[in-house]
Amino acid sequence: MSEAQLLATGQPELSLPRHVAIIMDGNGRWAKQRHLPRAAGHRAGVEAVRRVTRAARSLGIEALTLYAFSSENWRRPEDEIGALMGLLRLFIRSDLAEMVRDDVRLRIIGDYSRFAPDLVALLDDALARTAPNTGPILAIALNYGAQDELVTAARRLAQRVRDGAMAVEAIDAEAIEAELETRELPPLDLMIRTSGEQRLSNFLLWQAAYAELLFVDTLWPDYGADDLAAAVAAFGQRQRRYGGL
Ligand code: IPE
Ligand code: IPE
Ligand code: MG
């Protein structure tokens, strides 16, 4: 832990989390319950993304990171991957203007260069258009895997050591954090997973070291502003200790 973080732990806890991450899970089960194709669940999931991103803004949360596609989700059938990519296209096209208007800083974590060229171009354009913004951060995890992120960080540091630009002893938690894709985001305070599953599924493993974890049974397409407000209230009741008393 950095000195700044250690000092910060001595401060009274602010009740509002600065950075919330959500593992948006349960779209498939939501659809299954309704005898609908899985893609219909993902479509309803996009509506939940809209509700929750707006709610996060009105609550004053500085950064919201949403797990939309993991580095392991390539294991799904091609048609489902296609449906997810199509929805991502629609979401960017339909919601970019609102993000620009609301001063949202869009960020992407994960290697989206593996996506179709038109989608990569669309995402690059969205990032460029929100780049001048100074407001809340919306980070979308696309082809993201925390283990990949840490491997990349390790390789970059190793390269620097090999080039003689860095001493082995200079590799510390701060040096690793500076290589993570979340380096511009505030520390992760709260990690929420919907749908009753209680695992991290390779999401923000390093960043979750001292995050509060909240697992809720609600399926992602049913999640809304009230649920986020309840999560923030639950966070306010937690006592964070960071190893101290
Ligand atoms: C989460 O819902 C969305 C993505 C992983 C893209 P799922 O598709 O995992 O839904 P379940 O877990 O099968 O219900
Ligand atoms: C995690 O959900 C990934 C996203 C929400 C994008 P999964 O549904 O893919 O996770 P597992 O496979 O149940 O662990
Ligand atoms: Mg799932």
Side-chain angles (χ1 to χ4, degrees):
M1 201 185 279
S2 71
E3 197 179 345
Q5 281 173 310
L6 278 171
L7 284 172
T9 60
Q11 307 298 316
E13 191 58 57
L14 286 172
S15 60
L16 190 67
R18 295 181 64 199
H19 180 185
V20 176
I22 307 183
I23 302 175
M24 310 183 288
D25 199 11
N27 295 352
R29 279 161 283 170
W30 184 93
K32 192 170 184 198
Q33 283 175 358
R34 287 162 178 75
H35 309 285
L36 293 170
R38 291 179 59 84
H42 296 313
R43 245 189 327 271
V46 175
E47 290 305 318
V49 167
R50 273 194 197 105
R51 292 194 294 269
V52 170
T53 50
R54 286 175 187 157
R57 267 173 252 161
S58 58
L59 285 166
I61 293 166
E62 279 175 61
L64 178 69
T65 303
L66 299 177
Y67 206 7
F69 194 86
S70 78
S71 52
E72 287 72 39
N73 286 146
W74 296 109
R75 294 177 187 158
R76 296 192 179 199
E78 215 172 301
D79 65 331
E80 178 163 350
I81 294 172
L84 287 165
M85 298 296 158
L87 286 168
L88 179 59
R89 264 186 204 94
L90 283 178
F91 174 71
I92 297 291
R93 288 205 186 108
S94 58
D95 284 50
L96 182 61
E98 181 178 321
M99 287 185 227
V100 172
R101 187 199 68 200
D102 288 358
D103 202 25
V104 173
R105 284 184 282 168
L106 182 68
R107 297 287 183 270
I108 295 174
I109 63 170
D111 180 14
Y112 65 97
S113 71
R114 269 197 63 190
F115 290 4
D118 76 292
L119 186 49
V120 172
L122 186 70
L123 292 167
D124 283 339
D125 172 65
L127 290 172
R129 284 173 60 190
T130 59
N133 290 355
T134 56
I137 295 176
L138 172 63
I140 308 181
L142 296 174
N143 188 22
Y144 172 88
Q147 291 182 339
D148 281 352
E149 179 185 36
L150 288 163
V151 166
T152 303
R155 286 188 183 153
R156 285 209 198 111
L157 293 170
Q159 185 74 47
R160 234 174 278 158
V161 170
R162 192 170 66 182
D163 294 347
M166 187 177 200
V168 168
E169 298 71 31
I171 299 178
D172 55 13
E174 264 173 279
I176 292 172
E177 258 161 26
E179 297 300 331
L180 300 181
E181 302 200 55
T182 50
R183 57 190 163 269
E184 289 173 43
L185 275 64
L188 182 62
D189 291 317
L190 175 63
M191 164 93 84
I192 301 168
R193 184 171 189 147
T194 59
S195 88
E197 306 297 344
Q198 303 193 1
R199 56 178 170 268
L200 298 184
S201 300
N202 203 13
F203 194 40
L204 303 176
L205 300 182
W206 173 285
Q207 297 85 342
Y210 269 104
E212 293 297 322
L213 307 179
L214 184 68
F215 299 101
V216 297
D217 288 334
T218 312
L219 301 174
W220 177 250
D222 291 327
Y223 203 80
D226 292 349
D227 299 285
L228 185 68
V232 165
F235 173 84
Q237 300 299 312
R238 302 274 181 101
Q239 197 198 358
R240 299 176 89 188
R241 294 188 169 172
Y242 300 97
L245 291 179

